[in-house]
Amino acid sequence: YLGEQNIEAAQRHLERAIDLIDPKDSRYQHFYLMGLHYLAGIYGTKGQVDRAVQYCQEAMRIRPDYLDPIFMLGEIQFRAGNFEAAESAFKGYLDLRNHLAQKPAKALFSQSRFNSHDHVHMRLGTLYQSQGDANRAEQHYQEAIRANPNSIGANLQLARLYTQRMDPGKAKEFLATAQRLQQAAEAN
């Protein structure tokens, strides 16, 4: 239903699914957690931030090493303009991801959706740039590129940032990279 953009039907089915699944049953726990994650996204999109946050927190309570709801919590708070809460969630995501990366094989479930943390660095960069902290924004955009060298968005944001700093040489460099990446993506 989500693929068909039938949000109301998806919401009903997801709510029914989490009512039926025992989250303590390890055979089905992943489906339960995915349901909570998607419901958080649906309620966040609808602007029902408190309910979305509750779903994220429930997933995090059941499985503290599950990264998706932490990212979703940051997204929901970011979109709601709760930048301090978004920053906290995104930093928590990065801390947990770094911790899990030191534990081989344990993190497979935990990193089921976001195998790269470039999304989090992009959000933090955007957050800091919106607050006028260009240095921290630059740092996170650079981290996004280190995590994903094909990040068109990070290159565009750095081009924008360097344009604002009146550094046309660097701005052109990142803009050219973004254009090259875009052309390569369209060719595939």
Side-chain angles (χ1 to χ4, degrees):
Y1 295 104
L2 285 174
E4 299 169 9
Q5 298 298 313
N6 190 341
I7 302 299
E8 297 304 321
Q11 178 184 330
R12 282 192 312 276
H13 288 283
L14 287 165
E15 286 173 343
R16 180 75 176 129
I18 65 169
D19 283 342
L20 295 173
I21 297 172
D22 177 3
K24 295 176 186 167
D25 186 337
S26 62
R27 296 173 298 164
Y28 303 107
Q29 186 181 69
H30 182 71
F31 297 110
Y32 184 83
L33 293 171
M34 285 176 54
L36 293 174
H37 172 79
Y38 284 116
L39 282 168
I42 289 170
Y43 281 104
T45 300
K46 290 179 160 186
Q48 296 178 22
V49 175
D50 291 340
R51 188 114 184 241
V53 168
Q54 287 174 344
Y55 282 118
C56 289
Q57 290 173 337
E58 175 66 8
M60 292 160 40
R61 183 190 64 74
I62 293 169
R63 190 75 194 249
D65 63 342
Y66 187 27
L67 289 167
D68 289 358
I70 301 170
F71 180 85
M72 180 64 73
L73 180 61
E75 276 291 303
I76 290 163
Q77 297 291 15
F78 183 87
R79 284 188 252 139
N82 302 328
F83 298 129
E84 192 172 303
E87 178 183 26
S88 176
F90 289 138
K91 285 182 172 182
Y93 174 98
L94 291 173
D95 289 345
L96 179 58
R97 186 180 186 285
N98 290 337
H99 174 74
L100 293 172
Q102 297 171 16
K103 298 182 180 211
K106 171 154 176 37
L108 291 177
F109 174 81
S110 302
Q111 296 182 23
S112 62
R113 185 160 176 230
F114 296 104
N115 291 324
S116 177
H117 57 285
D118 62 307
H119 302 289
V120 174
H121 283 294
M122 280 294 297
R123 281 303 196 201
L124 284 168
T126 303
L127 187 147
Y128 293 133
Q129 194 165 7
S130 72
Q131 295 175 339
D133 191 341
N135 292 332
R136 285 172 77 186
E138 177 184 19
Q139 174 189 353
H140 284 284
Y141 294 141
Q142 292 286 2
E143 286 293 328
I145 290 172
R146 274 191 279 287
N148 177 7
N150 295 321
S151 176
I152 297 167
N155 279 283
L156 286 173
Q157 288 300 91
L158 282 168
R160 179 176 167 217
L161 188 133
Y162 288 122
T163 298
Q164 292 171 344
R165 285 186 175 169
M166 304 299 208
D167 189 338
K170 281 189 176 180
K172 286 179 186 177
E173 174 187 331
F174 284 102
L175 184 58
T177 300
Q179 289 172 332
R180 181 180 47 76
L181 291 170
Q182 182 66 39
Q183 290 168 348
E186 289 171 358
N188 292 330

